[in-house]
Amino acid sequence: LQDCTSVGNTNSGFEGGMMTMIFNCSASDNGGNGIEVGLYALASGNIANDNQLYGITVGTGSRVERNLVVNNFGGGIHAAVESRVQENQVLHNTGPGIYARASARIDGNHVVGNSAGLQSEGVDKASLFVGNTAVGKTTNFVTTAYANFGQIVATNDLGTNFSLPNPWANFDLQP
């Protein structure tokens, strides 16, 4: 699907099966998830807002990139095992901004004002969280013993000329 709009459906806005690609679509005010796709899918450049469940939810081995996910009631992005979530802006969702299951890679996302920023799940395989920024909640990073998080730099004052020895760092910023 490309360049589509889904507004006010009683269920999910867009539903796709295995290997679905959804580009530059808008899903808002739907009764389920905004965008819901199956295994090995791609969701890129979409806007998902004000949906009753998650803004975007993807199946195993999927990729979620460069989306704007705002004010959804279940959470921002839900990524199944072996997924990659990168360069998304995830704002003011009632649930977690990004919820990732085992063996996922979560990098370069900007997450603000969600009930939790970035949250991992999984007991059998590791996920990797690097280069993310999370702002505005006491618990911006919800970790498990099985997830790998780049250094979490918690601060509200990095200054104008900061540098870090760790290029994999995540930032926990408080206003």
Side-chain angles (χ1 to χ4, degrees), residues 28-42:
S28 62
D29 298 304
N30 295 293
N33 296 305
I35 297 170
E36 182 177 346
V37 292
L39 306 168
Y40 315 113
L42 173 62

Side-chain angles (χ1 to χ4, degrees), residues 55-75:
I56 299 174
T57 183
V58 297
T60 298
S62 293
R63 193 167 181 164
V64 182
E65 61 186 25
R66 296 183 184 99
N67 298 287
L68 176 60
V69 183
V70 182
N71 201 37
N72 297 284
F73 296 102

Side-chain angles (χ1 to χ4, degrees), residues 75 89 105:
Q89 189 170 348
R105 181 179 172 121

Side-chain angles (χ1 to χ4, degrees), residues 5 17 19 21 26 30 46 66 68 70 75 78 88 95 106 109 129 132 139 159 173:
T5 300
M19 296 187 175
M21 294 185 290
S26 175
N30 295 293
N46 302 294
R66 296 183 184 99
L68 176 60
V70 182
H78 183 279
N88 297 284
I106 313 301
N109 298 285
F129 292 75
N132 298 290
T139 308
L173 305 174

Side-chain angles (χ1 to χ4, degrees), residues 2-162:
Q2 185 170 354
D3 301 322
C4 298
T5 300
S6 175
V7 179
N9 293 293
T10 56
N11 293 313
S12 294
F14 295 106
E15 291 185 12
M18 187 169 142
M19 296 187 175
T20 298
M21 294 185 290
I22 298 182
F23 297 103
N24 302 321
C25 292
S26 175
S28 62
D29 298 304
N30 295 293
N33 296 305
I35 297 170
E36 182 177 346
V37 292
L39 306 168
Y40 315 113
L42 173 62
S44 179
N46 302 294
I47 298 173
N49 66 286
D50 297 300
N51 297 289
Q52 291 299 308
L53 297 177
Y54 275 84
I56 299 174
T57 183
V58 297
T60 298
S62 293
R63 193 167 181 164
V64 182
E65 61 186 25
R66 296 183 184 99
N67 298 287
L68 176 60
V69 183
V70 182
N71 201 37
N72 297 284
F73 296 102
I77 297 171
H78 183 279
V81 298
E82 301 171 1
S83 292
R84 183 161 186 187
V85 179
Q86 64 182 29
E87 298 178 10
N88 297 284
Q89 189 170 348
V90 186
L91 311 171
H92 309 290
N93 297 284
T94 302
I98 298 174
Y99 183 87
R101 301 188 65 128
S103 299
R105 181 179 172 121
I106 313 301
D107 60 287
N109 298 285
H110 185 60
V111 181
V112 179
N114 304 282
S115 66
L118 296 104
Q119 184 172 352
S120 67
E121 178 198 280
V123 295
D124 58 343
K125 295 182 182 176
S127 292
L128 178 64
F129 292 75
V130 294
N132 298 290
T133 57
V135 181
K137 289 296 177 186
T138 304
T139 308
N140 280 324
F141 294 91
V142 181
T143 65
T144 67
Y146 299 97
N148 297 295
F149 280 78
Q151 176 187 5
I152 297 173
V153 177
T155 185
N156 63 354
D157 187 15
L158 290 169
T160 57
N161 246 347
F162 78 92

